[in-house]
């Protein structure tokens, strides 16, 4: 098993390296054949020898590797083919735009864009072929991992559905109840499964099984509970000869809050300056469509439970909540206007929240703000929901990048706590970059099915009582 995993890792590394070298080779060709002669002709003082060319090409390779690694464009076998291609697309576009202006600075004026555009198109074509070939090859050589699921009282349907969505990578071959006893579990675990999934079982049994699997070199996929997330973000101390984990009573330090606020203000001002024409055009179109208000305002909660009015471009009919009942937008929701469908799909409806960020009510990255009445409902069933308000609410967040629109509140809470407990300025920057990718990912904006439960259940009736504004 260990040799197989090493082979997988080496295979992915080699395929990733080959992909990066092919893309860099395309850039090296247009640099040496077209752009360097143009730049050298206009700027006689800029003459490169071999090392100069290697540095220029090497810089492109490093930038491409950085963005590919950030977006997940090198995760062969781990992500779906479309996710890998989208990651490659974003990385390639960002690096090529940056490199184009780098070459223009060398010349002292804009260099011809047609060659770079053609090269970019060819690179994206190569990226698509490379992704399909590599992922197909990986799946043929390394079939889905057969796994044993150990479950408790909680329903297995949710986790089984999630694993089934990645049938190319995982295969649950058997499920066993933790209440069958440790001896029976031991006998089943050692039958040669590729991994064991511990799904929301009591902590005592989970820890015992975890140690059993670890001692026998068996891979374990464990669904964390909230205390696990808190411990993961703790600091390890070496005050004595016994390891100590420190879980702080506050979320962010003074320095982190100052750096986060500076990043928020700078980015919000830049985006407002760049996106102002699109925001004005959107406002005009919404107003002309039905004569209703341009903005949608609603009370939300941010850090410490502080209330504020969140701003959005209105995407639904004026009478969307005429019955006074707030509800999640469902698939093919008739309340959404044609204009609203478009601005929701490309997330233009969220842009007015840049003003909330400048005002200080929100941050760029953080848990999405909820309505006070919804928070009350959640806290009744899940008191830990208040933990997510240790930091300011965000325009985007960890749960939006790694979750979906219809991810359950409990799972969203664990994702938000992962962000809070592992905060860094670099994490904010990384999530900003990853947010660009999810804008065109269908599952990140999909509505909620009529039969889907996305919140806790009422204790007696079993009916979901999550409600959110229809304009969300």
């Amino acid at each position: 098993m260990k040799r197989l995993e090493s082979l997988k890792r080496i295979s992915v590394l080699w395929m990733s390296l080959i992909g990066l070298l092919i893309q860099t080779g395309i850039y090296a060709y247009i640099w040496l054949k077209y752009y360097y002669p143009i730049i050298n002709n206009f700027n006689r003082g800029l003459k490169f020898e071999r090392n100069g060319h290697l540095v220029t090409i090497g810089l492109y390779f490093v930038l491409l590797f950085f963005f590919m690694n950030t977006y997940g464009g090198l995760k062969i076998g781990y992500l779906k083919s479309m996710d890998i291609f989208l990651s490659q697309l974003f990385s390639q576009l960002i690096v090529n735009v940056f490199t184009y202006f780098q070459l223009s600075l060398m010349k002292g004026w804009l260099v011809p864009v047609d060659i770079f555009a053609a090269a970019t198109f060819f690179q994206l074509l190569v990226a698509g072929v490379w992704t399909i070939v590599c992922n197909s090859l990986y799946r043929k050589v390394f079939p889905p991992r057969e796994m044993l699921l150990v479950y408790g009282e909680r329903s297995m349907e949710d986790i089984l559905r999630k694993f089934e969505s990645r049938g190319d990578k995982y295969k649950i071959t058997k499920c066993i109840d933790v209440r069958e006893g440790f001896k029976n579990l031991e006998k089943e675990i050692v039958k040669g499964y590729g991994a064991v999934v511990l799904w929301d079982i009591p902590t005592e049994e989970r820890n015992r099984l975890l140690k059993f699997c670890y001692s026998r070199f068996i891979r374990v996929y464990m669904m964390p509970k909230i205390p696990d997330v808190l411990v993961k973000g703790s600091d390890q101390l070496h005050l004595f000869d016994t390891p100590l984990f420190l879980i702080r009573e506050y979320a962010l330090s003074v320095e982190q809050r100052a750096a986060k606020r500076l990043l928020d203000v700078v980015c919000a001002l830049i985006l407002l300056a760049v996106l102002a024409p699109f925001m004005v055009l959107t406002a005009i179109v919404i107003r002309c469509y039905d004569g209703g208000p341009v903005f949608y305002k609603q009370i939300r909660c941010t850090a410490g439970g502080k209330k504020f009015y969140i701003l959005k471009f209105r995407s639904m009919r004026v009478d969307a909540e005429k019955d006074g009942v707030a509800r999640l937008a469902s698939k093919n929701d008739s309340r959404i206007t044609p204009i609203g469908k478009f601005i929701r799909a490309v997330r233009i409806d969220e842009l007015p929240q840049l003003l909330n960020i400048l005002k200080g009510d929100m941050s760029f990255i953080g848990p999405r703000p909820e309505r006070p009445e919804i928070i009350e409902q959640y806290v009744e069933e899940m008191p830990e929901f208040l933990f997510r308000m240790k930091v300011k609410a965000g325009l985007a967040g960890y749960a939006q990048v790694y979750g979906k629109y219809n991810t359950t509140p409990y799972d969203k809470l664990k994702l938000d706590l992962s962000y809070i407990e592992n905060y860094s300025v670099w994490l904010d920057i990384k999530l900003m970059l990853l947010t660009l990718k999810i804008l065109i990912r269908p599952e990140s904006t999909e509505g909620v099915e009529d039969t889907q439960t996305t919140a806790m259940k009422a204790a007696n009736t079993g009916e979901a009582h999550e409600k959110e504004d229809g304009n969300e």
Side-chain angles (χ1 to χ4, degrees), residues 395-465:
L395 176 62
Y398 202 91
Q400 282 65 51
V401 170
Y402 294 106
K404 301 179 182 180
Y405 177 78
N406 49 13
T407 298
T408 63
Y410 183 66
D411 286 335
K412 280 185 178 180
L413 172 60
K414 288 191 287 187
L415 289 170
D416 286 329
L417 288 177
S418 295
Y419 165 76
I420 294 171
E421 292 301 316
N422 296 278
Y423 176 79
S424 68
V425 174
W426 162 240
L427 180 58
D428 264 6
I429 295 173
K430 180 180 179 180
L431 291 174
M432 287 181 187
L433 293 173
L434 289 172
T435 298
L436 297 174
K437 178 183 172 182
I438 69 170
L439 293 181
I440 61 173
R441 224 173 57 186
E443 63 266 29
S444 66
T445 57
E446 63 189 355
V448 179
E449 299 281 7
D450 292 337
T451 58
Q452 181 180 7
T453 299
T454 59
M456 275 71 62
K457 306 262 187 189
N460 298 322
T461 64
E463 296 180 354
H465 58 222

Side-chain angles (χ1 to χ4, degrees), residues 1 4-6 8 145 147-148 169-170 189 193-198 210 213-214 216-222:
M1 182 64 68
L4 179 63
E5 294 307 316
S6 298
K8 284 184 180 181
R145 187 186 300 275
M147 302 190 297
L148 170 70
K169 189 170 176 63
Y170 307 109
I189 288 173
Y193 295 96
V196 173
V197 181
L198 302 181
L210 182 61
C213 292
Y214 186 79
R216 287 159 178 78
F217 303 95
I218 298 172
R219 175 173 294 210
V220 175
Y221 292 86
M222 186 185 78

Side-chain angles (χ1 to χ4, degrees), residues 63-303:
L63 284 173
L64 191 60
F65 171 76
F66 171 78
F67 283 102
M68 289 282 194
N69 189 56
T70 299
Y71 280 117
L74 304 177
K75 292 187 175 181
I76 300 297
Y78 179 76
L79 298 178
K80 295 180 181 179
S81 295
M82 181 55 69
D83 280 336
I84 295 174
F85 176 70
L86 289 177
S87 301
Q88 295 254 338
L89 183 149
F90 274 109
S91 303
Q92 203 73 66
L93 291 178
I94 291 173
V95 173
N96 282 8
V97 168
F98 178 86
T99 304
Y100 173 78
F101 285 107
Q102 173 198 347
L103 298 183
S104 298
L105 286 173
M106 291 182 182
K107 178 187 173 185
W109 191 243
L110 296 178
V111 296
V113 72
D114 53 342
I115 300 171
F116 224 126
T120 301
F121 175 79
F122 185 65
Q123 285 176 316
L124 294 179
L125 184 63
V126 169
V129 174
W130 176 86
T131 299
I132 293 173
V133 170
C134 289
N135 244 14
S136 299
L137 182 62
Y138 182 94
R139 290 169 185 169
K140 287 182 179 180
V141 177
F142 305 110
R145 187 186 300 275
E146 296 189 355
M147 302 190 297
L148 170 70
L149 175 67
V150 182
Y151 65 94
E153 295 182 356
R154 188 175 174 184
S155 172
M156 299 181 296
E157 293 181 6
D158 182 45
I159 193 64
L160 287 176
R161 184 173 63 251
K162 290 178 179 179
F163 275 114
E164 286 172 1
S165 69
R166 291 303 310 273
D168 59 308
K169 189 170 176 63
Y170 307 109
K171 183 180 180 181
I172 302 291
T173 55
K174 186 172 182 178
C175 301
I176 184 169
D177 195 326
V178 70
R179 289 167 289 189
E180 290 195 17
F182 193 74
K183 292 296 182 182
N184 291 329
L185 292 172
E186 282 183 332
K187 292 178 182 178
E188 190 63 41
I189 288 173
V190 297
K191 287 184 177 180
Y193 295 96
V196 173
V197 181
L198 302 181
W199 167 242
D200 202 25
I201 60 179
T203 304
E204 184 177 352
E205 285 87 343
R206 184 199 69 183
N207 291 348
R208 188 175 178 184
L209 288 173
L210 182 61
K211 287 186 284 187
F212 176 81
C213 292
Y214 186 79
S215 67
R216 287 159 178 78
F217 303 95
I218 298 172
R219 175 173 294 210
V220 175
Y221 292 86
M222 186 185 78
M223 306 302 128
K225 300 178 184 294
I226 289 176
D228 299 321
V229 178
L230 299 179
V231 171
K232 186 176 182 294
S234 63
D235 295 328
Q236 185 170 349
L237 302 181
H238 299 282
L239 300 177
F240 322 111
D241 55 357
T242 298
L244 287 177
F245 289 130
L246 171 63
I247 302 174
R248 301 185 185 276
E249 68 278 13
Y250 54 85
L252 307 183
S253 65
V254 175
E255 296 85 354
Q256 288 175 326
R257 292 199 299 271
K260 186 175 178 66
R261 181 58 182 157
L262 178 62
L263 184 65
D264 287 341
V265 172
V266 171
C267 291
L269 289 174
I270 292 174
L271 283 179
L272 279 172
V274 173
L275 300 175
F278 299 98
M279 295 176 69
V280 172
L281 179 61
T282 301
I284 293 173
V285 172
I286 292 174
R287 185 70 174 180
C288 292
Y289 176 74
D290 58 9
V294 170
F295 296 110
Y296 180 89
K297 295 172 63 176
Q298 191 178 69
I299 294 178
R300 295 294 181 94
C301 292
T302 185

Side-chain angles (χ1 to χ4, degrees), residues 32-83:
L32 295 171
K33 187 171 180 63
Y34 296 104
Y35 285 109
Y36 176 66
I38 292 173
I39 293 171
N40 184 252
N41 185 50
F42 278 83
N43 189 351
R44 296 290 183 181
L46 190 65
K47 187 175 181 180
F48 285 5
E49 300 296 338
R50 183 184 65 177
N51 289 342
H53 292 303
L54 289 176
V55 169
T56 303
I57 296 169
L59 177 61
Y60 184 90
F61 179 88
V62 170
L63 284 173
L64 191 60
F65 171 76
F66 171 78
F67 283 102
M68 289 282 194
N69 189 56
T70 299
Y71 280 117
L74 304 177
K75 292 187 175 181
I76 300 297
Y78 179 76
L79 298 178
K80 295 180 181 179
S81 295
M82 181 55 69
D83 280 336

